[in-house]
Amino acid sequence: MTDRLVIFDTTLRDGEQSPGASMTREEKVRIARQLEKMRVDVIEAGFAAASNGDFEAVRAVAEAVRESTVCSLARANENDIRRAGEAIRPAVSGRIHTFIATSPIHMEKKLRMTSDQVVEQAVKAIGWAREYTDNVEFSAEDAGRSELDFLCRIFEQVIKAGAKTINVPDTVGYNLPEQFAGLVRSLIERVPNSDQVVWSVHCHNDLGLAVANSLAAVAAGARQVECTINGLGERAGNASMEEVVMAVRTRADLLPVYTQIETTQIVPASKLVSQITGYPVQPNKAIVGANAFAHESGIHQDGVLKHRETYEIMRAEDVGWTTNRLTLGKLSGRNAFRARLQELGIVVTSEEQLNAAFARFKALADKKQEIFDEDLQALMSDGSAPLEQEHYKLVALRVCSETGEIPCAVVTLAAAGDELKAESSGSGPVDAVFKALEKIAVSEAKLLLYSVNAITGGTDAQGEVTVRLSKGERVVNGQGADTDIITASAKAYINALNRLRSGAPRLDPQGGAV
């Protein structure tokens, strides 16, 4: 007998807890539309009570998504739950996901509550949530280190109170697959009203076992898996959605479940999340890594040529690895350009935005002989910031780098109607550019990450640069793309500076950990 496995994606909430991965409202909506295109069952759009920005982002996703359930996380207190309820109100299908810690160490050291108080608070939370929706999920934070008897007790009570989904998180990635499967199996067997809910798991990857633990739990009876695109998430990340989905599909002989995921959208989703968050995908990453379907060994190549299944357990085309080339050029019109953006799920909200994007496309077409979808996505992201958030704009850049000489850079920026110019030298051309930018901005931010990736193949490929800056408690990513890697670096640093200036402060995202 085969059951449907509910895929609960938390890229926009738990994935955003990765340092520097905070997303704007518009970026969250773009990713949510792609998740909807993938036919994800539940999209956890954020933690509405964390800040006004998070609230507006959850609401924007709830307004944009029509096919998937839109969910907001909330701690088990009245304020959090009411904020979550208001945020998801526009959704066709909305869910509130409330949680409270249940492990002895969390109850004693973090909550400073007795077990009786925790149960009482959890039941109250379900009641508040049901004022907004009947679709309420309850999570026992740090369930992987909680006492079984107490978990049985609290789950029985929240089910009586009206919870429809019970989530068992391995919050700190501590469990091993056999152990975690045993916990889930015992809970389903021992909780008297366990047949009234969907059992869910949310596994972290601290020991590299998030996917293994999730699949073991599915074999033990769980019918919802909480996961993220590319395994994004705090610390070592979460269970990778693409790995869970393709494992279920490939090993149907051992896992009696199926998903409704449109798997051909997996690679496009992976690339979109990577590009927006600035977290590149390692080449040997399962399913979505550049080398996932590459065969270097002569023995392997010979086997695949004779019969694909000798070395491939799934088809690259099934997960979206296709040569998806954008056949637009310098002579292409705006309507064709607009149509391709729509096919890629990129929403253009005004004629002004379309005109600006089309101008950038034409400029890129003058530099590159072939333009790919990845180029277009990077181009759109490069100019996606609202004009009011662009305090600094790159006007001109001149860099000199010569063997035996110290590299130097001259940068001109536009800021509040003025042109600001600075010159600096550095250990390399990028270092010189960044130092010149700092002379203008005087941000006093610390550079945490500088990452360069080629968007496509070929020597004329655009370089995509990610810059991560920190100042105080804020960490931001900046992205830039250009066929000139020095220019791309300058754009990325400027983008990060603008985010530092314009971004609203957020509460500590770790407060939403599940």
Side-chain angles (χ1 to χ4, degrees), residues 102 119-120 122-123 126 138 140 147-168 186-197 199:
T102 55
V119 173
E120 181 182 2
V123 170
I126 302 301
F138 174 78
E147 295 173 350
L148 179 58
D149 288 346
F150 182 60
L151 286 177
C152 291
R153 176 187 169 197
I154 194 169
F155 286 154
E156 180 181 1
Q157 293 305 311
V158 295
I159 294 171
K160 285 182 180 178
K164 300 299 183 186
T165 300
I166 297 296
N167 185 44
V168 185
S186 296
L187 288 168
I188 294 173
E189 291 173 352
R190 290 184 51 180
V191 174
N193 43 9
S194 66
D195 59 334
Q196 298 176 20
V197 295
W199 288 87

mmCIF file of all heavy atoms in Angstrom, residues 102 119-120 122-123 126 138 140 147-168 186-197 199:
data_model
loop_
_atom_site.group_PDB
_atom_site.id
_atom_site.type_symbol
_atom_site.label_atom_id
_atom_site.label_comp_id
_atom_site.label_asym_id
_atom_site.label_seq_id
_atom_site.Cartn_x
_atom_site.Cartn_y
_atom_site.Cartn_z
ATOM 1 N N THR A 102 10.947 20.603 24.280
ATOM 2 C CA THR A 102 10.497 19.509 25.153
ATOM 3 C C THR A 102 11.631 18.707 25.776
ATOM 4 O O THR A 102 11.370 17.823 26.592
ATOM 5 C CB THR A 102 9.599 18.538 24.361
ATOM 6 O OG1 THR A 102 10.311 18.086 23.206
ATOM 7 C CG2 THR A 102 8.292 19.214 23.934
ATOM 8 N N VAL A 119 3.394 21.634 28.759
ATOM 9 C CA VAL A 119 2.191 21.022 28.190
ATOM 10 C C VAL A 119 1.052 22.031 28.162
ATOM 11 O O VAL A 119 0.332 22.165 27.155
ATOM 12 C CB VAL A 119 1.784 19.764 28.989
ATOM 13 C CG1 VAL A 119 0.426 19.245 28.497
ATOM 14 C CG2 VAL A 119 2.844 18.674 28.858
ATOM 15 N N GLU A 120 0.862 22.740 29.253
ATOM 16 C CA GLU A 120 -0.217 23.729 29.339
ATOM 17 C C GLU A 120 -0.061 24.812 28.263
ATOM 18 O O GLU A 120 -1.027 25.202 27.604
ATOM 19 C CB GLU A 120 -0.213 24.373 30.727
ATOM 20 C CG GLU A 120 -1.314 25.414 30.920
ATOM 21 C CD GLU A 120 -1.252 26.079 32.297
ATOM 22 O OE1 GLU A 120 -0.325 25.754 33.080
ATOM 23 O OE2 GLU A 120 -2.117 26.923 32.578
ATOM 24 N N ALA A 122 1.576 24.576 25.405
ATOM 25 C CA ALA A 122 1.381 23.987 24.086
ATOM 26 C C ALA A 122 -0.097 23.880 23.745
ATOM 27 O O ALA A 122 -0.522 24.195 22.619
ATOM 28 C CB ALA A 122 2.046 22.617 24.029
ATOM 29 N N VAL A 123 -0.899 23.447 24.688
ATOM 30 C CA VAL A 123 -2.344 23.316 24.464
ATOM 31 C C VAL A 123 -2.971 24.695 24.214
ATOM 32 O O VAL A 123 -3.812 24.859 23.327
ATOM 33 C CB VAL A 123 -3.013 22.616 25.665
ATOM 34 C CG1 VAL A 123 -4.528 22.693 25.554
ATOM 35 C CG2 VAL A 123 -2.554 21.157 25.742
ATOM 36 N N ILE A 126 -2.277 25.834 20.627
ATOM 37 C CA ILE A 126 -3.143 25.209 19.615
ATOM 38 C C ILE A 126 -4.481 25.936 19.579
ATOM 39 O O ILE A 126 -5.042 26.205 18.513
ATOM 40 C CB ILE A 126 -3.351 23.710 19.904
ATOM 41 C CG1 ILE A 126 -2.009 22.962 19.962
ATOM 42 C CG2 ILE A 126 -4.264 23.089 18.852
ATOM 43 C CD1 ILE A 126 -1.196 23.040 18.694
ATOM 44 N N PHE A 138 2.061 21.163 15.207
ATOM 45 C CA PHE A 138 2.774 21.342 16.471
ATOM 46 C C PHE A 138 4.104 20.615 16.404
ATOM 47 O O PHE A 138 4.186 19.457 15.997
ATOM 48 C CB PHE A 138 1.969 20.798 17.655
ATOM 49 C CG PHE A 138 2.747 20.844 18.952
ATOM 50 C CD1 PHE A 138 2.887 22.049 19.648
ATOM 51 C CD2 PHE A 138 3.369 19.712 19.448
ATOM 52 C CE1 PHE A 138 3.629 22.105 20.816
ATOM 53 C CE2 PHE A 138 4.109 19.761 20.626
ATOM 54 C CZ PHE A 138 4.236 20.953 21.314
ATOM 55 N N ALA A 140 7.645 19.616 18.674
ATOM 56 C CA ALA A 140 8.328 19.507 19.960
ATOM 57 C C ALA A 140 9.814 19.759 19.705
ATOM 58 O O ALA A 140 10.547 18.852 19.291
ATOM 59 C CB ALA A 140 8.111 18.121 20.566
ATOM 60 N N GLU A 147 12.486 13.037 26.379
ATOM 61 C CA GLU A 147 12.094 11.759 26.979
ATOM 62 C C GLU A 147 10.829 11.250 26.282
ATOM 63 O O GLU A 147 9.859 11.996 26.090
ATOM 64 C CB GLU A 147 11.856 11.940 28.476
ATOM 65 C CG GLU A 147 13.134 12.326 29.235
ATOM 66 C CD GLU A 147 12.861 12.661 30.700
ATOM 67 O OE1 GLU A 147 11.669 12.778 31.070
ATOM 68 O OE2 GLU A 147 13.833 12.807 31.454
ATOM 69 N N LEU A 148 10.833 9.965 25.943
ATOM 70 C CA LEU A 148 9.731 9.380 25.182
ATOM 71 C C LEU A 148 8.397 9.532 25.907
ATOM 72 O O LEU A 148 7.380 9.891 25.291
ATOM 73 C CB LEU A 148 10.021 7.903 24.896
ATOM 74 C CG LEU A 148 8.937 7.141 24.132
ATOM 75 C CD1 LEU A 148 8.656 7.790 22.782
ATOM 76 C CD2 LEU A 148 9.346 5.672 23.966
ATOM 77 N N ASP A 149 8.374 9.272 27.203
ATOM 78 C CA ASP A 149 7.112 9.358 27.951
ATOM 79 C C ASP A 149 6.534 10.770 27.900
ATOM 80 O O ASP A 149 5.320 10.949 27.755
ATOM 81 C CB ASP A 149 7.329 8.948 29.413
ATOM 82 C CG ASP A 149 7.552 7.450 29.568
ATOM 83 O OD1 ASP A 149 7.273 6.714 28.599
ATOM 84 O OD2 ASP A 149 8.012 7.026 30.646
ATOM 85 N N PHE A 150 7.403 11.764 28.006
ATOM 86 C CA PHE A 150 6.917 13.139 27.970
ATOM 87 C C PHE A 150 6.412 13.511 26.572
ATOM 88 O O PHE A 150 5.394 14.208 26.433
ATOM 89 C CB PHE A 150 8.003 14.115 28.416
ATOM 90 C CG PHE A 150 7.538 15.543 28.440
ATOM 91 C CD1 PHE A 150 6.479 15.946 29.240
ATOM 92 C CD2 PHE A 150 8.146 16.498 27.633
ATOM 93 C CE1 PHE A 150 6.029 17.256 29.243
ATOM 94 C CE2 PHE A 150 7.704 17.816 27.625
ATOM 95 C CZ PHE A 150 6.645 18.199 28.436
ATOM 96 N N LEU A 151 7.105 13.050 25.542
ATOM 97 C CA LEU A 151 6.640 13.311 24.176
ATOM 98 C C LEU A 151 5.252 12.698 23.959
ATOM 99 O O LEU A 151 4.373 13.342 23.370
ATOM 100 C CB LEU A 151 7.632 12.745 23.153
ATOM 101 C CG LEU A 151 8.943 13.504 22.965
ATOM 102 C CD1 LEU A 151 9.834 12.773 21.972
ATOM 103 C CD2 LEU A 151 8.687 14.932 22.480
ATOM 104 N N CYS A 152 5.068 11.479 24.423
ATOM 105 C CA CYS A 152 3.753 10.839 24.289
ATOM 106 C C CYS A 152 2.670 11.671 24.979
ATOM 107 O O CYS A 152 1.569 11.866 24.456
ATOM 108 C CB CYS A 152 3.775 9.435 24.882
ATOM 109 S SG CYS A 152 4.763 8.245 23.942
ATOM 110 N N ARG A 153 3.013 12.184 26.154
ATOM 111 C CA ARG A 153 2.048 12.963 26.939
ATOM 112 C C ARG A 153 1.670 14.266 26.224
ATOM 113 O O ARG A 153 0.486 14.585 26.061
ATOM 114 C CB ARG A 153 2.647 13.263 28.310
ATOM 115 C CG ARG A 153 1.777 14.158 29.181
ATOM 116 C CD ARG A 153 2.538 14.540 30.450
ATOM 117 N NE ARG A 153 1.844 15.590 31.189
ATOM 118 C CZ ARG A 153 2.415 16.323 32.127
ATOM 119 N NH1 ARG A 153 3.693 16.108 32.455
ATOM 120 N NH2 ARG A 153 1.741 17.262 32.756
ATOM 121 N N ILE A 154 2.671 15.034 25.781
ATOM 122 C CA ILE A 154 2.380 16.336 25.183
ATOM 123 C C ILE A 154 1.709 16.179 23.823
ATOM 124 O O ILE A 154 0.790 16.930 23.474
ATOM 125 C CB ILE A 154 3.654 17.214 25.091
ATOM 126 C CG1 ILE A 154 3.253 18.665 24.797
ATOM 127 C CG2 ILE A 154 4.632 16.699 24.047
ATOM 128 C CD1 ILE A 154 4.419 19.652 24.950
ATOM 129 N N PHE A 155 2.121 15.160 23.051
ATOM 130 C CA PHE A 155 1.498 14.955 21.741
ATOM 131 C C PHE A 155 0.029 14.558 21.883
ATOM 132 O O PHE A 155 -0.823 15.004 21.130
ATOM 133 C CB PHE A 155 2.264 13.898 20.948
ATOM 134 C CG PHE A 155 3.599 14.378 20.400
ATOM 135 C CD1 PHE A 155 4.627 13.482 20.139
ATOM 136 C CD2 PHE A 155 3.813 15.721 20.145
ATOM 137 C CE1 PHE A 155 5.839 13.905 19.635
ATOM 138 C CE2 PHE A 155 5.034 16.170 19.636
ATOM 139 C CZ PHE A 155 6.051 15.254 19.396
ATOM 140 N N GLU A 156 -0.260 13.704 22.846
ATOM 141 C CA GLU A 156 -1.661 13.312 23.063
ATOM 142 C C GLU A 156 -2.516 14.541 23.368
ATOM 143 O O GLU A 156 -3.634 14.676 22.847
ATOM 144 C CB GLU A 156 -1.747 12.306 24.219
ATOM 145 C CG GLU A 156 -3.176 11.855 24.498
ATOM 146 C CD GLU A 156 -3.273 10.879 25.671
ATOM 147 O OE1 GLU A 156 -2.228 10.563 26.280
ATOM 148 O OE2 GLU A 156 -4.406 10.450 25.980
ATOM 149 N N GLN A 157 -1.987 15.445 24.182
ATOM 150 C CA GLN A 157 -2.764 16.612 24.589
ATOM 151 C C GLN A 157 -2.957 17.610 23.440
ATOM 152 O O GLN A 157 -4.045 18.177 23.282
ATOM 153 C CB GLN A 157 -2.088 17.304 25.779
ATOM 154 C CG GLN A 157 -2.085 16.480 27.057
ATOM 155 C CD GLN A 157 -3.488 16.037 27.460
ATOM 156 O OE1 GLN A 157 -4.420 16.847 27.495
ATOM 157 N NE2 GLN A 157 -3.652 14.754 27.747
ATOM 158 N N VAL A 158 -1.927 17.841 22.632
ATOM 159 C CA VAL A 158 -2.087 18.814 21.538
ATOM 160 C C VAL A 158 -2.965 18.246 20.425
ATOM 161 O O VAL A 158 -3.661 19.001 19.735
ATOM 162 C CB VAL A 158 -0.726 19.294 20.977
ATOM 163 C CG1 VAL A 158 0.043 20.066 22.030
ATOM 164 C CG2 VAL A 158 0.091 18.152 20.407
ATOM 165 N N ILE A 159 -2.963 16.922 20.267
ATOM 166 C CA ILE A 159 -3.881 16.323 19.294
ATOM 167 C C ILE A 159 -5.325 16.509 19.762
ATOM 168 O O ILE A 159 -6.211 16.862 18.983
ATOM 169 C CB ILE A 159 -3.551 14.833 19.082
ATOM 170 C CG1 ILE A 159 -2.183 14.674 18.412
ATOM 171 C CG2 ILE A 159 -4.632 14.164 18.207
ATOM 172 C CD1 ILE A 159 -1.679 13.240 18.354
ATOM 173 N N LYS A 160 -5.560 16.291 21.063
ATOM 174 C CA LYS A 160 -6.900 16.540 21.622
ATOM 175 C C LYS A 160 -7.320 17.992 21.435
ATOM 176 O O LYS A 160 -8.496 18.300 21.216
ATOM 177 C CB LYS A 160 -6.916 16.197 23.112
ATOM 178 C CG LYS A 160 -6.943 14.715 23.433
ATOM 179 C CD LYS A 160 -7.003 14.498 24.943
ATOM 180 C CE LYS A 160 -7.037 13.016 25.290
ATOM 181 N NZ LYS A 160 -7.052 12.805 26.769
ATOM 182 N N ALA A 161 -6.333 18.904 21.489
ATOM 183 C CA ALA A 161 -6.626 20.334 21.352
ATOM 184 C C ALA A 161 -6.879 20.744 19.903
ATOM 185 O O ALA A 161 -7.357 21.850 19.659
ATOM 186 C CB ALA A 161 -5.480 21.158 21.929
ATOM 187 N N GLY A 162 -6.557 19.851 18.959
ATOM 188 C CA GLY A 162 -6.884 20.151 17.568
ATOM 189 C C GLY A 162 -5.738 20.217 16.589
ATOM 190 O O GLY A 162 -5.948 20.584 15.419
ATOM 191 N N ALA A 163 -4.521 19.883 16.993
ATOM 192 C CA ALA A 163 -3.399 19.856 16.045
ATOM 193 C C ALA A 163 -3.641 18.780 14.989
ATOM 194 O O ALA A 163 -4.108 17.689 15.306
ATOM 195 C CB ALA A 163 -2.092 19.593 16.781
ATOM 196 N N LYS A 164 -3.321 19.091 13.725
ATOM 197 C CA LYS A 164 -3.540 18.156 12.622
ATOM 198 C C LYS A 164 -2.253 17.491 12.156
ATOM 199 O O LYS A 164 -2.289 16.448 11.497
ATOM 200 C CB LYS A 164 -4.181 18.888 11.433
ATOM 201 C CG LYS A 164 -5.527 19.528 11.742
ATOM 202 C CD LYS A 164 -6.556 18.492 12.158
ATOM 203 C CE LYS A 164 -7.919 19.153 12.379
ATOM 204 N NZ LYS A 164 -8.911 18.196 12.930
ATOM 205 N N THR A 165 -1.117 18.127 12.453
ATOM 206 C CA THR A 165 0.187 17.562 12.090
ATOM 207 C C THR A 165 1.083 17.617 13.319
ATOM 208 O O THR A 165 1.136 18.636 14.011
ATOM 209 C CB THR A 165 0.841 18.360 10.941
ATOM 210 O OG1 THR A 165 -0.013 18.327 9.790
ATOM 211 C CG2 THR A 165 2.195 17.771 10.570
ATOM 212 N N ILE A 166 1.761 16.516 13.587
ATOM 213 C CA ILE A 166 2.698 16.447 14.708
ATOM 214 C C ILE A 166 4.101 16.270 14.142
ATOM 215 O O ILE A 166 4.384 15.295 13.442
ATOM 216 C CB ILE A 166 2.366 15.280 15.659
ATOM 217 C CG1 ILE A 166 0.987 15.479 16.295
ATOM 218 C CG2 ILE A 166 3.446 15.149 16.732
ATOM 219 C CD1 ILE A 166 0.878 16.688 17.195
ATOM 220 N N ASN A 167 4.969 17.223 14.457
ATOM 221 C CA ASN A 167 6.334 17.210 13.933
ATOM 222 C C ASN A 167 7.324 16.791 15.016
ATOM 223 O O ASN A 167 7.269 17.275 16.148
ATOM 224 C CB ASN A 167 6.686 18.598 13.400
ATOM 225 C CG ASN A 167 8.049 18.604 12.731
ATOM 226 O OD1 ASN A 167 8.379 17.706 11.976
ATOM 227 N ND2 ASN A 167 8.830 19.635 13.002
ATOM 228 N N VAL A 168 8.224 15.895 14.635
ATOM 229 C CA VAL A 168 9.243 15.368 15.547
ATOM 230 C C VAL A 168 10.603 15.836 15.032
ATOM 231 O O VAL A 168 11.190 15.215 14.147
ATOM 232 C CB VAL A 168 9.197 13.829 15.605
ATOM 233 C CG1 VAL A 168 10.177 13.298 16.651
ATOM 234 C CG2 VAL A 168 7.780 13.335 15.906
ATOM 235 N N SER A 186 7.758 4.338 17.884
ATOM 236 C CA SER A 186 7.226 4.236 19.253
ATOM 237 C C SER A 186 6.145 5.278 19.510
ATOM 238 O O SER A 186 5.135 4.989 20.159
ATOM 239 C CB SER A 186 8.358 4.395 20.270
ATOM 240 O OG SER A 186 9.295 3.335 20.166
ATOM 241 N N LEU A 187 6.352 6.483 19.007
ATOM 242 C CA LEU A 187 5.357 7.537 19.206
ATOM 243 C C LEU A 187 4.038 7.186 18.522
ATOM 244 O O LEU A 187 2.956 7.341 19.101
ATOM 245 C CB LEU A 187 5.882 8.875 18.666
ATOM 246 C CG LEU A 187 7.001 9.530 19.493
ATOM 247 C CD1 LEU A 187 7.639 10.678 18.726
ATOM 248 C CD2 LEU A 187 6.451 10.030 20.837
ATOM 249 N N ILE A 188 4.123 6.697 17.301
ATOM 250 C CA ILE A 188 2.909 6.332 16.575
ATOM 251 C C ILE A 188 2.176 5.195 17.275
ATOM 252 O O ILE A 188 0.939 5.161 17.338
ATOM 253 C CB ILE A 188 3.251 5.958 15.116
ATOM 254 C CG1 ILE A 188 3.783 7.194 14.375
ATOM 255 C CG2 ILE A 188 2.032 5.387 14.396
ATOM 256 C CD1 ILE A 188 4.296 6.902 12.982
ATOM 257 N N GLU A 189 2.936 4.276 17.839
ATOM 258 C CA GLU A 189 2.329 3.129 18.525
ATOM 259 C C GLU A 189 1.755 3.508 19.887
ATOM 260 O O GLU A 189 0.706 2.997 20.290
ATOM 261 C CB GLU A 189 3.375 2.024 18.708
ATOM 262 C CG GLU A 189 3.790 1.354 17.402
ATOM 263 C CD GLU A 189 4.944 0.377 17.607
ATOM 264 O OE1 GLU A 189 5.506 0.345 18.735
ATOM 265 O OE2 GLU A 189 5.288 -0.344 16.646
ATOM 266 N N ARG A 190 2.402 4.425 20.607
ATOM 267 C CA ARG A 190 2.041 4.684 21.994
ATOM 268 C C ARG A 190 1.067 5.845 22.204
ATOM 269 O O ARG A 190 0.339 5.862 23.202
ATOM 270 C CB ARG A 190 3.305 4.921 22.822
ATOM 271 C CG ARG A 190 4.145 3.651 23.011
ATOM 272 C CD ARG A 190 5.334 3.907 23.908
ATOM 273 N NE ARG A 190 4.962 4.563 25.168
ATOM 274 C CZ ARG A 190 5.823 4.903 26.125
ATOM 275 N NH1 ARG A 190 7.114 4.637 25.955
ATOM 276 N NH2 ARG A 190 5.412 5.502 27.231
ATOM 277 N N VAL A 191 1.078 6.824 21.314
ATOM 278 C CA VAL A 191 0.154 7.954 21.486
ATOM 279 C C VAL A 191 -1.248 7.474 21.112
ATOM 280 O O VAL A 191 -1.474 7.037 19.971
ATOM 281 C CB VAL A 191 0.577 9.156 20.618
ATOM 282 C CG1 VAL A 191 -0.466 10.263 20.695
ATOM 283 C CG2 VAL A 191 1.949 9.676 21.066
ATOM 284 N N PRO A 192 -2.206 7.517 22.042
ATOM 285 C CA PRO A 192 -3.532 6.910 21.818
ATOM 286 C C PRO A 192 -4.257 7.435 20.578
ATOM 287 O O PRO A 192 -4.941 6.681 19.892
ATOM 288 C CB PRO A 192 -4.302 7.262 23.099
ATOM 289 C CG PRO A 192 -3.241 7.502 24.124
ATOM 290 C CD PRO A 192 -2.088 8.091 23.387
ATOM 291 N N ASN A 193 -4.136 8.722 20.294
ATOM 292 C CA ASN A 193 -4.859 9.308 19.168
ATOM 293 C C ASN A 193 -3.948 9.606 17.975
ATOM 294 O O ASN A 193 -4.175 10.529 17.209
ATOM 295 C CB ASN A 193 -5.580 10.594 19.603
ATOM 296 C CG ASN A 193 -4.697 11.476 20.501
ATOM 297 O OD1 ASN A 193 -3.507 11.224 20.661
ATOM 298 N ND2 ASN A 193 -5.295 12.516 21.078
ATOM 299 N N SER A 194 -2.899 8.803 17.821
ATOM 300 C CA SER A 194 -1.900 9.053 16.775
ATOM 301 C C SER A 194 -2.476 8.931 15.373
ATOM 302 O O SER A 194 -1.943 9.512 14.424
ATOM 303 C CB SER A 194 -0.726 8.079 16.921
ATOM 304 O OG SER A 194 -1.142 6.736 16.679
ATOM 305 N N ASP A 195 -3.573 8.174 15.223
ATOM 306 C CA ASP A 195 -4.150 7.974 13.891
ATOM 307 C C ASP A 195 -4.924 9.197 13.402
ATOM 308 O O ASP A 195 -5.380 9.239 12.257
ATOM 309 C CB ASP A 195 -5.072 6.757 13.901
ATOM 310 C CG ASP A 195 -6.225 6.896 14.901
ATOM 311 O OD1 ASP A 195 -6.060 7.640 15.891
ATOM 312 O OD2 ASP A 195 -7.273 6.271 14.677
ATOM 313 N N GLN A 196 -5.055 10.221 14.240
ATOM 314 C CA GLN A 196 -5.822 11.410 13.871
ATOM 315 C C GLN A 196 -4.965 12.503 13.223
ATOM 316 O O GLN A 196 -5.472 13.544 12.826
ATOM 317 C CB GLN A 196 -6.516 11.987 15.112
ATOM 318 C CG GLN A 196 -7.512 11.040 15.754
ATOM 319 C CD GLN A 196 -8.106 11.612 17.038
ATOM 320 O OE1 GLN A 196 -8.078 12.834 17.268
ATOM 321 N NE2 GLN A 196 -8.636 10.748 17.887
ATOM 322 N N VAL A 197 -3.652 12.265 13.135
ATOM 323 C CA VAL A 197 -2.748 13.309 12.637
ATOM 324 C C VAL A 197 -1.781 12.752 11.596
ATOM 325 O O VAL A 197 -1.613 11.536 11.454
ATOM 326 C CB VAL A 197 -1.930 13.932 13.792
ATOM 327 C CG1 VAL A 197 -2.832 14.672 14.763
ATOM 328 C CG2 VAL A 197 -1.099 12.873 14.515
ATOM 329 N N TRP A 199 2.079 12.467 10.820
ATOM 330 C CA TRP A 199 3.342 12.521 11.562
ATOM 331 C C TRP A 199 4.439 13.044 10.646
ATOM 332 O O TRP A 199 4.601 12.602 9.517
ATOM 333 C CB TRP A 199 3.696 11.145 12.134
ATOM 334 C CG TRP A 199 2.797 10.785 13.271
ATOM 335 C CD1 TRP A 199 1.582 10.178 13.204
ATOM 336 C CD2 TRP A 199 3.025 11.061 14.655
ATOM 337 N NE1 TRP A 199 1.031 10.057 14.455
ATOM 338 C CE2 TRP A 199 1.895 10.582 15.369
ATOM 339 C CE3 TRP A 199 4.063 11.656 15.367
ATOM 340 C CZ2 TRP A 199 1.791 10.694 16.757
ATOM 341 C CZ3 TRP A 199 3.954 11.775 16.736
ATOM 342 C CH2 TRP A 199 2.832 11.289 17.426
#
